[in-house]
Short mmCIF file of all heavy atoms in Angstrom, two decimals:
data_model
loop_
_atom_site.label_atom_id
_atom_site.label_comp_id
_atom_site.label_asym_id
_atom_site.label_seq_id
_atom_site.Cartn_x
_atom_site.Cartn_y
_atom_site.Cartn_z
N ILE O 63 15.29 -6.09 -6.74
CA ILE O 63 15.47 -5.39 -5.50
C ILE O 63 14.25 -5.72 -4.60
O ILE O 63 14.27 -6.19 -3.39
CB ILE O 63 15.80 -4.01 -5.46
CG1 ILE O 63 17.16 -3.61 -6.35
CG2 ILE O 63 15.81 -3.37 -4.10
CD1 ILE O 63 17.41 -2.28 -6.44
N VAL O 64 13.05 -5.31 -5.19
CA VAL O 64 11.74 -5.42 -4.45
C VAL O 64 11.54 -6.71 -3.97
O VAL O 64 11.08 -6.97 -2.71
CB VAL O 64 10.58 -4.87 -5.22
CG1 VAL O 64 9.39 -4.59 -4.40
CG2 VAL O 64 11.00 -3.60 -6.03
N VAL O 65 11.69 -7.76 -4.85
CA VAL O 65 11.36 -9.14 -4.59
C VAL O 65 12.19 -9.73 -3.35
O VAL O 65 11.62 -10.25 -2.42
CB VAL O 65 11.41 -10.02 -5.83
CG1 VAL O 65 11.37 -11.65 -5.48
CG2 VAL O 65 10.37 -9.72 -6.93
N GLU O 66 13.50 -9.33 -3.40
CA GLU O 66 14.30 -9.77 -2.31
C GLU O 66 13.93 -9.15 -0.94
O GLU O 66 13.82 -9.74 0.13
CB GLU O 66 15.83 -9.42 -2.61
CG GLU O 66 16.50 -10.37 -3.49
CD GLU O 66 16.22 -11.83 -3.12
OE1 GLU O 66 16.36 -12.30 -2.16
OE2 GLU O 66 15.65 -12.62 -4.12
N VAL O 67 13.49 -7.86 -1.09
CA VAL O 67 13.12 -7.22 0.25
C VAL O 67 11.87 -7.84 0.79
O VAL O 67 11.73 -8.05 1.94
CB VAL O 67 12.92 -5.70 -0.12
CG1 VAL O 67 12.13 -4.99 0.98
CG2 VAL O 67 14.28 -4.98 -0.32
N VAL O 68 10.96 -8.11 -0.15
CA VAL O 68 9.60 -8.63 0.32
C VAL O 68 9.84 -10.12 0.85
O VAL O 68 9.24 -10.51 1.93
CB VAL O 68 8.54 -8.64 -0.79
CG1 VAL O 68 7.27 -9.38 -0.38
CG2 VAL O 68 8.20 -7.27 -1.18
N LYS O 69 10.54 -10.91 0.15
CA LYS O 69 10.88 -12.23 0.64
C LYS O 69 11.44 -12.29 1.97
O LYS O 69 11.09 -12.97 2.87
CB LYS O 69 11.84 -12.89 -0.31
CG LYS O 69 11.58 -14.24 -0.80
CD LYS O 69 12.69 -14.84 -1.59
CE LYS O 69 12.25 -15.57 -2.72
NZ LYS O 69 13.37 -15.99 -3.64
N ALA O 70 12.48 -11.44 2.31
CA ALA O 70 12.97 -11.27 3.59
C ALA O 70 12.04 -10.93 4.64
O ALA O 70 12.07 -11.44 5.75
CB ALA O 70 14.25 -10.30 3.43
N ARG O 71 11.26 -9.84 4.27
CA ARG O 71 10.30 -9.54 5.26
C ARG O 71 9.27 -10.52 5.63
O ARG O 71 8.88 -10.63 6.88
CB ARG O 71 9.56 -8.27 4.74
CG ARG O 71 8.58 -7.46 5.60
CD ARG O 71 9.19 -7.03 7.01
NE ARG O 71 8.17 -6.58 7.90
CZ ARG O 71 7.55 -7.43 8.83
NH1 ARG O 71 7.76 -8.76 8.86
NH2 ARG O 71 6.69 -6.96 9.57
N LEU O 72 8.79 -11.32 4.63
CA LEU O 72 7.70 -12.29 4.89
C LEU O 72 8.24 -13.44 5.63
O LEU O 72 7.47 -14.28 6.15
CB LEU O 72 7.02 -12.72 3.59
CG LEU O 72 6.31 -11.59 2.80
CD1 LEU O 72 5.44 -12.17 1.65
CD2 LEU O 72 5.33 -10.86 3.66
N SER O 73 9.59 -13.56 5.74
CA SER O 73 10.12 -14.77 6.37
C SER O 73 10.27 -14.39 7.80
O SER O 73 10.60 -15.34 8.63
CB SER O 73 11.56 -15.02 5.79
OG SER O 73 12.36 -14.05 6.12
N GLN O 74 10.02 -13.20 8.34
CA GLN O 74 9.89 -12.90 9.66
C GLN O 74 8.79 -13.52 10.57
O GLN O 74 7.73 -13.77 9.88
CB GLN O 74 10.09 -11.37 9.93
CG GLN O 74 11.41 -10.83 9.41
CD GLN O 74 11.48 -9.38 9.55
OE1 GLN O 74 10.63 -8.67 10.15
NE2 GLN O 74 12.40 -8.78 8.84
N ASP O 75 9.02 -13.73 11.81
CA ASP O 75 8.06 -14.40 12.58
C ASP O 75 6.65 -13.83 12.67
O ASP O 75 5.70 -14.67 12.69
CB ASP O 75 8.52 -14.35 14.11
CG ASP O 75 9.27 -15.68 14.47
OD1 ASP O 75 9.42 -16.50 13.43
OD2 ASP O 75 9.59 -15.81 15.56
N ASP O 76 6.52 -12.52 12.61
CA ASP O 76 5.29 -11.90 12.79
C ASP O 76 4.35 -12.18 11.58
O ASP O 76 3.13 -11.91 11.67
CB ASP O 76 5.36 -10.39 13.03
CG ASP O 76 5.98 -9.70 11.92
OD1 ASP O 76 6.77 -10.31 11.08
OD2 ASP O 76 5.76 -8.44 11.71
N CYS O 77 4.84 -12.73 10.42
CA CYS O 77 4.04 -12.99 9.27
C CYS O 77 3.56 -14.41 9.31
O CYS O 77 2.93 -14.80 8.26
CB CYS O 77 4.89 -12.74 8.03
SG CYS O 77 5.40 -11.05 7.84
N ARG O 78 3.77 -15.21 10.37
CA ARG O 78 3.39 -16.58 10.39
C ARG O 78 1.89 -16.85 10.23
O ARG O 78 1.39 -17.70 9.52
CB ARG O 78 3.97 -17.35 11.52
CG ARG O 78 5.12 -18.25 11.33
CD ARG O 78 5.59 -18.93 12.33
NE ARG O 78 5.69 -17.86 13.47
CZ ARG O 78 5.89 -18.32 14.93
NH1 ARG O 78 6.07 -19.58 15.10
NH2 ARG O 78 5.89 -17.41 15.80
N ARG O 79 1.09 -15.92 10.80
CA ARG O 79 -0.38 -16.02 10.71
C ARG O 79 -0.96 -15.28 9.57
O ARG O 79 -2.16 -15.26 9.29
CB ARG O 79 -1.01 -15.35 11.96
CG ARG O 79 -0.85 -16.30 13.23
CD ARG O 79 -1.73 -15.63 14.36
NE ARG O 79 -3.01 -15.36 14.01
CZ ARG O 79 -3.61 -14.20 14.03
NH1 ARG O 79 -2.82 -13.19 14.19
NH2 ARG O 79 -4.82 -13.99 13.63
N GLY O 80 -0.11 -14.59 8.83
CA GLY O 80 -0.57 -13.83 7.61
C GLY O 80 0.08 -12.44 7.56
O GLY O 80 0.89 -12.12 8.37
N PHE O 81 -0.44 -11.73 6.51
CA PHE O 81 0.03 -10.35 6.39
C PHE O 81 -0.79 -9.63 5.38
O PHE O 81 -1.64 -10.24 4.71
CB PHE O 81 1.48 -10.40 5.79
CG PHE O 81 1.74 -11.22 4.59
CD1 PHE O 81 1.19 -11.01 3.29
CD2 PHE O 81 2.14 -12.60 4.72
CE1 PHE O 81 1.34 -11.68 2.25
CE2 PHE O 81 2.29 -13.44 3.66
CZ PHE O 81 1.96 -12.94 2.38
N ILE O 82 -0.64 -8.26 5.33
CA ILE O 82 -1.24 -7.34 4.27
C ILE O 82 -0.20 -6.79 3.53
O ILE O 82 0.65 -6.09 4.09
CB ILE O 82 -2.06 -6.37 4.88
CG1 ILE O 82 -3.07 -6.80 5.95
CG2 ILE O 82 -2.79 -5.61 3.77
CD1 ILE O 82 -3.45 -5.74 6.90
N LEU O 83 -0.02 -7.23 2.19
CA LEU O 83 1.03 -6.48 1.34
C LEU O 83 0.34 -5.29 0.66
O LEU O 83 -0.58 -5.48 -0.04
CB LEU O 83 1.48 -7.49 0.35
CG LEU O 83 2.59 -8.45 0.72
CD1 LEU O 83 2.86 -9.38 -0.44
CD2 LEU O 83 3.82 -7.59 0.96
N ASP O 84 1.00 -4.14 0.88
CA ASP O 84 0.39 -2.93 0.42
C ASP O 84 1.52 -2.28 -0.57
O ASP O 84 2.66 -2.00 -0.09
CB ASP O 84 0.08 -1.99 1.56
CG ASP O 84 0.06 -0.49 1.17
OD1 ASP O 84 0.08 -0.11 0.11
OD2 ASP O 84 0.00 0.29 2.24
N GLY O 85 1.26 -2.35 -1.93
CA GLY O 85 2.15 -1.67 -2.90
C GLY O 85 3.06 -2.80 -3.45
O GLY O 85 3.94 -2.51 -4.15
N PHE O 86 2.69 -4.06 -3.25
CA PHE O 86 3.44 -5.17 -3.77
C PHE O 86 2.33 -6.28 -4.06
O PHE O 86 1.73 -6.55 -3.16
CB PHE O 86 4.57 -5.74 -2.98
CG PHE O 86 5.41 -6.78 -3.56
CD1 PHE O 86 6.57 -6.63 -4.29
CD2 PHE O 86 4.94 -8.17 -3.45
CE1 PHE O 86 7.24 -7.66 -4.79
CE2 PHE O 86 5.64 -9.17 -3.97
CZ PHE O 86 6.80 -8.92 -4.71
N PRO O 87 2.36 -6.87 -5.23
CA PRO O 87 3.15 -6.65 -6.48
C PRO O 87 2.81 -5.41 -7.26
O PRO O 87 1.62 -5.03 -7.20
CB PRO O 87 3.04 -8.05 -7.25
CG PRO O 87 1.56 -8.40 -6.94
CD PRO O 87 1.42 -8.03 -5.56
N ARG O 88 3.65 -4.99 -8.10
CA ARG O 88 3.39 -3.79 -8.90
C ARG O 88 3.69 -4.12 -10.38
O ARG O 88 3.47 -3.29 -11.21
CB ARG O 88 4.25 -2.62 -8.43
CG ARG O 88 3.41 -1.53 -7.71
CD ARG O 88 4.42 -0.40 -7.52
NE ARG O 88 4.00 0.77 -7.00
CZ ARG O 88 3.76 1.02 -5.80
NH1 ARG O 88 3.97 0.03 -4.86
NH2 ARG O 88 3.28 2.24 -5.29
N THR O 89 4.26 -5.32 -10.60
CA THR O 89 4.63 -5.71 -11.97
C THR O 89 4.16 -7.16 -12.06
O THR O 89 4.19 -7.85 -11.04
CB THR O 89 6.05 -5.50 -12.39
OG1 THR O 89 6.88 -6.54 -11.53
CG2 THR O 89 6.62 -4.16 -12.18
N LEU O 90 3.99 -7.67 -13.34
CA LEU O 90 3.69 -9.03 -13.57
C LEU O 90 4.78 -9.89 -12.92
O LEU O 90 4.57 -10.97 -12.32
CB LEU O 90 3.41 -9.26 -14.97
CG LEU O 90 2.55 -10.44 -15.38
CD1 LEU O 90 1.18 -10.38 -14.54
CD2 LEU O 90 2.18 -10.41 -16.80
N ALA O 91 5.98 -9.55 -13.15
CA ALA O 91 7.15 -10.27 -12.75
C ALA O 91 7.09 -10.41 -11.13
O ALA O 91 7.33 -11.50 -10.56
CB ALA O 91 8.50 -9.67 -13.03
N GLN O 92 6.72 -9.43 -10.45
CA GLN O 92 6.59 -9.35 -9.00
C GLN O 92 5.42 -10.27 -8.60
O GLN O 92 5.54 -11.17 -7.59
CB GLN O 92 6.38 -7.99 -8.49
CG GLN O 92 7.54 -7.10 -8.54
CD GLN O 92 7.27 -5.71 -8.05
OE1 GLN O 92 6.35 -5.40 -7.28
NE2 GLN O 92 8.16 -4.74 -8.37
N ALA O 93 4.31 -10.26 -9.39
CA ALA O 93 3.14 -11.13 -9.09
C ALA O 93 3.54 -12.56 -9.15
O ALA O 93 3.17 -13.42 -8.38
CB ALA O 93 1.94 -10.74 -9.90
N GLU O 94 4.23 -12.94 -10.24
CA GLU O 94 4.64 -14.29 -10.47
C GLU O 94 5.62 -14.69 -9.47
O GLU O 94 5.46 -15.82 -8.84
CB GLU O 94 5.27 -14.43 -11.88
CG GLU O 94 4.19 -14.42 -12.92
CD GLU O 94 4.67 -14.24 -14.32
OE1 GLU O 94 6.01 -13.91 -14.47
OE2 GLU O 94 3.87 -14.23 -15.31
N ALA O 95 6.46 -13.87 -9.01
CA ALA O 95 7.38 -14.28 -7.88
C ALA O 95 6.75 -14.49 -6.61
O ALA O 95 6.93 -15.54 -6.00
CB ALA O 95 8.46 -13.06 -7.74
N LEU O 96 5.85 -13.68 -6.28
CA LEU O 96 5.08 -13.85 -5.11
C LEU O 96 4.21 -15.11 -5.11
O LEU O 96 4.21 -15.84 -4.07
CB LEU O 96 4.13 -12.65 -4.76
CG LEU O 96 3.17 -12.67 -3.60
CD1 LEU O 96 4.12 -12.54 -2.33
CD2 LEU O 96 2.17 -11.56 -3.56
N GLU O 97 3.65 -15.48 -6.17
CA GLU O 97 2.88 -16.81 -6.25
C GLU O 97 3.83 -17.90 -5.98
O GLU O 97 3.48 -18.92 -5.45
CB GLU O 97 2.38 -16.85 -7.75
CG GLU O 97 1.10 -17.58 -7.90
CD GLU O 97 -0.12 -16.98 -7.11
OE1 GLU O 97 -0.17 -15.84 -6.92
OE2 GLU O 97 -1.03 -17.93 -6.87
#
Side-chain angles (χ1 to χ4, degrees):
I63 299 180
V64 194
V65 168
E66 279 318 305
V67 165
V68 171
K69 226 187 220 174
R71 179 64 188 87
L72 297 189
S73 69
Q74 290 177 14
D75 261 7
D76 62 336
C77 295
R78 262 182 310 172
R79 285 186 53 249
F81 51 77
I82 308 156
L83 269 177
D84 157 14
F86 181 96
R88 255 188 171 82
T89 65
L90 205 49
Q92 292 178 14
E94 283 163 354
L96 182 65
E97 210 62 28

